[in-house]
Amino acid sequence: MSLAEFSPCSYSRYQTLPSNLSSAPLTAFHVHAFKRGRSKLQVRRPLNITCSVAPSQVQSPATAVPVRPADAANKQECYGVFCTTYDLKAEEKTKTWKSLIRVVVSGAAGMISNHLLFKLASGEVFGQDQPIALRLLGSERSYQALEGVAMELEDSLYPLLREVSIGVNPYDVFEDAEWALLIGAKPRGPGMERAALLDINGQIFAEQGKALNAVASRSVKVIVVGNPCNTNALICLKNAPNIPAKNFHALTRLDENRAKCQLALKAGVFYDKVSNVTIWGNHSTTQVPDFVNAKINGVPVKKVINDTKWLEQEFTERVQKRGGVLIQKWGRSSAASTAVSIVDGIRSLVTPTPEGDWFSSGVYTNGNPYGIEEDIVFSMPCRSKGDGDYELVKEVVIDDFLRERIKKTEAELIAEKRCVAHLTGEGNAFCDLPEDTMLPGEQ
Ligand SMILES: NC(=O)C1=CN([C@@H]2O[C@H](COP(=O)(O)OP(=O)(O)OC[C@H]3O[C@@H](n4cnc5c(N)ncnc54)[C@H](OP(=O)(O)O)[C@@H]3O)[C@@H](O)[C@H]2O)C=CC1
Ligand SMILES: O=C([O-])CC(=O)C(=O)O
């Protein structure tokens, strides 16, 4: 049987059935799911199957020609060639591979995902010994595009990419997820109030938080990219009370990378010489790129760049508005560099932070050492041992310049939080957002 014959096994939607209602022979994946000890044993079978059937067997791909599952109607959590059954354990013995990790990407048919998914599949994010299952979340609107993305993943022949599945129901797609990269969100259209954007996207992230709470791994790490990402992350974590709030991040790494680039340009050095850059606060035009604690070649930036006016005004504004300038030039928002920054953000959590350095991430304020309002998602300096967790960095100086600006971005996030109270279980929403509040991509 050729791969071409095997490949077009797709489905448009699936439902969850109690295990006793299913006559499905279990695939390697199903057995794995059962072994993880779910409280209620379930297998899933699709509606609207479009692939044909053939006998099933579990075998190592090292020796096997791909085989179709016995009854495709019972083999749904896969796309095309990823429906091949295999025994990863047999390969693990010879290749010393780690256990498969399940990574969810929402907005998987969007621009950012189109860059990110291929980086995840290549091994450059989690390592060359880390097989990966990609779970792509889309919508009815994007379903065909999702199939297209899955086809491109098939055709890329990545050795580490062992499962790809597509779906529109977060309760299915998030099952046992160990990483959730939440990118899908409605873009702010012309004339749309920020409060409306907060509400529309907040509802998406409230639902996804509930789904993570119900079916994801208890130690899932969540990176919220879809804007307004800080408040979306807050909504998500509030709807997932069984997952530690510390596991949720809002992506501000792109802003950190942009800040490093601008400092390198001004100092006339390559950007790998710039370290200790913090983005404080919201991923919006109130964010505070910190040049006070940043270093170039290990020396405080202010000693290398003797231009306080540039640092306080031009540098700060350039970073805050970089996304908008890019949209003016490119006609769409940053996608490739955002994907790179998501990779950087994940790698910063799964590899030890270099001695003396730190990275920025939007994290839940719970006992923070900087006096920032508790119970919001605020970008701060973090350090990791490489175990997926992080600690806040204590040895930073917050001078009057930083303090004043941090207060402004903090006030914006507190106002955003009041505006989504109906989505966080904290009563009635009251929206009094500062008028100049904008996403980095807005002008
Ligand atoms: N934090 C950061 O640093 C950055 C964040 N961003 C944000 O990331 C998000 C995604 O950007 P990008 O991939 O370029 O965007 P795209 O427009 O390419 O894709 C966004 C995806 O969001 C999904 N979506 C969910 N709900 C809606 C809706 N109501 N209307 C329309 N689309 C919806 C769509 O997928 P589907 O139909 O499958 O749901 C779509 O594919 C945006 O919110 C953007 O502002 C962008 C750059 C940097
Ligand atoms: O506003 C947007 O969608 C783009 C964005 O976040 C950025 O470029 O930082």
Side-chain angles (χ1 to χ4, degrees):
M1 181 191 308
S2 73
L3 273 176
E5 278 176 85
F6 173 71
S7 192
C9 165
S10 62
Y11 60 92
S12 61
R13 201 180 305 163
Y14 52 74
Q15 62 183 1
T16 303
L17 298 173
S19 56
N20 60 359
L21 290 185
S22 170
S23 57
L26 298 179
T27 63
F29 178 84
H30 287 130
V31 172
H32 184 67
F34 275 88
K35 280 187 180 158
R36 290 174 65 84
R38 306 197 60 73
S39 55
K40 187 175 157 208
L41 291 185
Q42 292 181 328
V43 294
R44 289 179 292 165
R45 64 163 39 153
L47 308 171
N48 302 339
I49 301 302
T50 59
C51 54
S52 54
V53 296
S56 165
Q57 61 191 106
V58 175
Q59 53 189 189
S60 159
T63 55
V65 177
V67 287
R68 290 186 213 177
D71 175 357
N74 297 321
K75 174 70 177 155
Q76 71 296 337
E77 290 170 320
C78 57
Y79 183 88
V81 73
F82 302 105
C83 296
T84 313
T85 53
Y86 58 85
D87 182 359
L88 191 58
K89 282 245 172 312
E91 282 193 63
E92 277 165 9
K93 280 193 193 110
T94 54
K95 294 198 177 176
T96 62
W97 277 3
K98 295 178 180 164
S99 304
L100 188 76
I101 49 164
R102 285 162 290 274
V103 180
V104 164
V105 178
S106 79
M111 295 296 301
I112 296 171
S113 299
N114 200 250
H115 294 273
L116 179 65
L117 289 167
F118 297 85
K119 292 177 181 295
L120 291 166
S122 74
E124 72 177 271
V125 184
F126 291 103
Q128 295 300 332
D129 57 353
Q130 179 59 77
I132 186 167
L134 286 175
R135 307 268 187 80
L136 314 185
L137 180 67
S139 66
E140 301 291 353
R141 168 182 58 225
S142 66
Y143 197 82
Q144 284 215 0
L146 271 191
E147 290 185 301
V149 172
M151 285 166 66
E152 284 215 90
L153 286 167
E154 282 186 295
D155 295 344
S156 300
L157 306 182
Y158 288 115
L160 292 165
L161 183 59
R162 288 317 175 110
E163 295 177 15
V164 173
S165 55
I166 60 181
V168 299
N169 181 349
Y171 286 86
D172 291 325
V173 177
F174 291 180
E175 196 170 317
D176 294 328
E178 287 148 304
W179 286 85
L181 313 176
L182 303 183
I183 301 173
K186 185 179 172 69
R188 182 169 171 179
M192 187 193 284
E193 293 290 331
R194 188 172 171 88
L197 185 74
L198 276 164
D199 183 51
I200 292 168
N201 284 336
Q203 291 186 37
I204 295 172
F205 287 89
E207 190 202 12
Q208 292 183 1
K210 288 189 178 85
L212 286 168
N213 200 51
V215 299
S217 158
R218 299 302 78 181
S219 58
V220 63
K221 304 289 184 293
V222 183
I223 300 185
V224 176
V225 179
N227 276 320
C229 61
N230 294 56
T231 298
N232 288 340
L234 182 71
I235 293 167
C236 199
L237 72 88
K238 290 281 181 182
N239 283 277
N242 297 334
I243 296 168
K246 208 181 174 201
N247 293 12
F248 290 77
H249 298 257
L251 184 79
T252 55
R253 187 54 171 270
L254 175 61
D255 307 291
E256 177 187 320
N257 291 354
R258 288 167 170 168
K260 282 180 169 162
C261 179
Q262 291 307 311
L263 290 172
L265 266 170
K266 180 72 175 174
V269 299
F270 198 58
Y271 35 68
D272 65 345
K273 302 291 182 285
V274 186
S275 65
N276 303 82
V277 173
T278 308
I279 300 295
W280 296 95
N282 202 359
H283 176 70
S284 79
T285 52
T286 64
Q287 67 178 263
V288 186
D290 178 348
F291 56 83
V292 176
N293 293 285
K295 292 180 181 164
I296 294 175
N297 279 318
V299 176
V301 158
K302 279 166 80 171
K303 291 198 173 150
V304 179
I305 300 173
N306 297 311
D307 186 345
T308 306
K309 190 160 174 265
W310 182 87
L311 286 168
E312 290 186 354
Q313 292 173 16
E314 205 168 326
F315 164 69
T316 301
E317 196 166 311
R318 265 193 202 185
V319 178
Q320 290 169 333
K321 298 191 170 168
R322 179 77 163 177
V325 173
L326 187 125
I327 289 172
Q328 276 183 346
K329 306 251 181 219
W330 189 212
R332 58 164 180 73
S333 65
S334 314
S337 57
T338 305
V340 168
S341 74
I342 298 169
V343 171
D344 290 343
I346 299 171
R347 287 172 56 109
S348 288
L349 291 168
V350 299
T351 50
T353 309
E355 185 69 31
D357 203 359
W358 59 72
F359 58 91
S360 305
S361 189
V363 293
Y364 187 59
T365 52
N366 180 13
N368 75 87
Y370 320 112
I372 290 159
E373 176 92 354
E374 300 291 350
D375 200 33
I376 53 178
V377 171
F378 201 89
S379 182
M380 299 185 282
C382 304
R383 213 174 255 153
S384 177
K385 294 188 178 74
D387 55 0
D389 200 5
Y390 66 88
E391 297 304 327
L392 295 174
V393 175
K394 294 199 178 69
E395 60 274 22
V396 288
V397 175
I398 301 187
D399 66 5
D400 290 346
F401 175 87
L402 285 180
R403 175 71 57 202
E404 188 190 318
R405 278 152 188 82
I406 285 173
K407 281 277 154 219
K408 185 172 177 194
T409 195
E410 179 190 45
E412 179 177 80
L413 281 166
I414 294 168
E416 288 189 16
K417 180 181 160 186
R418 277 197 298 267
C419 198
V420 298
H422 59 305
L423 297 171
T424 56
E426 283 159 21
N428 294 330
F430 172 69
C431 260
D432 59 345
L433 296 169
E435 289 212 342
D436 58 351
T437 286
M438 287 198 281
L439 294 173
E442 293 174 320
Q443 288 285 322

